[in-house]
Amino acid sequence: MAGDVTGLAGFLYEFGLLKRYKRTGWLVAGVRDPESIAEHSFRAAVIAAVIAGLEGGNPERAAFMSLFHDTQETRITDIPYIGKRYLTAASNEDVTADQVRGLPAEVASLVGDAVAEYEEKATLEAVCARDADKLECLIQAVEYREQGHQNVQGWIDSSLALITTETGKRLAEEALSTGTLDWVTRVLNGD
């Protein structure tokens, strides 16, 4: 086997928590069984690749950052925005540094650099990844609204207000004007 893998199994088990941890904001909105952090990150990564590709950026880099943008929540959980008013949390970069401490340097750098780039918002790919995070939240809110949850408009409005790329804005408007299952009808009709 090539390279040192010391500590990586624990790192992978830790990130498995993201499949079990729920996005807490949706609990505040009354969603009884909300999406997990991992489910959110997966679709955000797909969206980031799409936005970056259409904006002329590197889709792989944007998607990669999106995969790691919430991994810190294994240690600090998904604190709802209302809770953040009363807490001082460590920076995502600091949490990530703790998470990768003792791992092979190549892995520590790979993950740490992705999180730092995302948090700095200085590259096109980071901006696309951040837009993807907001667009995924907006899309999830629309899905929950269609399922009968009435308290999600604030998530739609706040997410829409924070999207900055032209592609992200156009995708958000498209998502807001399209039913969540309209694509099924198009497929069944042969479109």
Side-chain angles (χ1 to χ4, degrees):
M1 182 186 310
D4 179 15
V5 296
T6 303
L8 284 175
F11 179 72
L12 299 176
Y13 282 128
E14 178 178 346
F15 281 9
L17 291 174
L18 298 173
K19 297 187 328 180
R20 295 194 298 270
Y21 287 177
K22 302 297 184 180
R23 303 251 300 159
T24 56
W26 299 127
L27 294 170
V28 172
V31 178
R32 289 179 195 237
D33 187 27
E35 67 176 335
S36 70
I37 297 165
E39 290 167 320
H40 161 72
S41 294
F42 168 76
R43 186 160 54 181
V46 172
I47 295 168
V50 168
I51 293 173
L54 292 173
E55 288 286 323
N58 180 324
E60 295 86 358
R61 185 68 185 165
F64 189 76
M65 280 186 271
S66 288
L67 287 174
F68 288 95
H69 84 282
D70 280 339
T71 53
Q72 306 77 22
E73 292 178 10
T74 63
R75 300 205 178 180
I76 60 173
T77 71
D78 180 29
I79 303 166
Y81 281 109
I82 196 164
K84 290 180 181 181
R85 295 176 62 182
Y86 307 101
L87 302 171
T88 304
S91 73
N92 284 342
E93 297 94 330
D94 288 346
V95 176
T96 299
D98 282 347
Q99 288 174 316
V100 300
R101 185 171 286 113
L103 295 182
E106 301 86 354
V107 175
S109 176
L110 185 77
V111 174
D113 291 352
V115 170
E117 183 178 347
Y118 180 86
E119 294 298 332
E120 289 169 5
K121 308 174 214 150
T123 65
L124 173 60
E125 290 77 11
V127 170
C128 293
R130 293 184 80 80
D131 270 12
D133 178 44
K134 300 310 177 195
L135 183 55
E136 200 288 324
C137 184
L138 180 147
I139 290 170
Q140 186 63 66
V142 170
E143 289 173 336
Y144 286 146
R145 183 175 64 191
E146 279 196 10
Q147 293 169 12
H149 299 284
Q150 301 302 310
N151 298 321
V152 297
Q153 191 61 46
W155 280 262
I156 293 170
D157 296 341
S158 63
S159 295
L160 184 60
L162 294 171
I163 296 171
T164 61
T165 63
E166 286 305 312
T167 300
K169 290 176 185 179
R170 289 194 331 263
L171 285 171
E173 291 304 322
E174 175 72 11
L176 290 169
S177 66
T178 303
T180 62
L181 294 177
D182 286 357
W183 68 272
V184 174
T185 304
R186 285 194 308 277
V187 170
L188 293 175
N189 290 334
D191 296 341

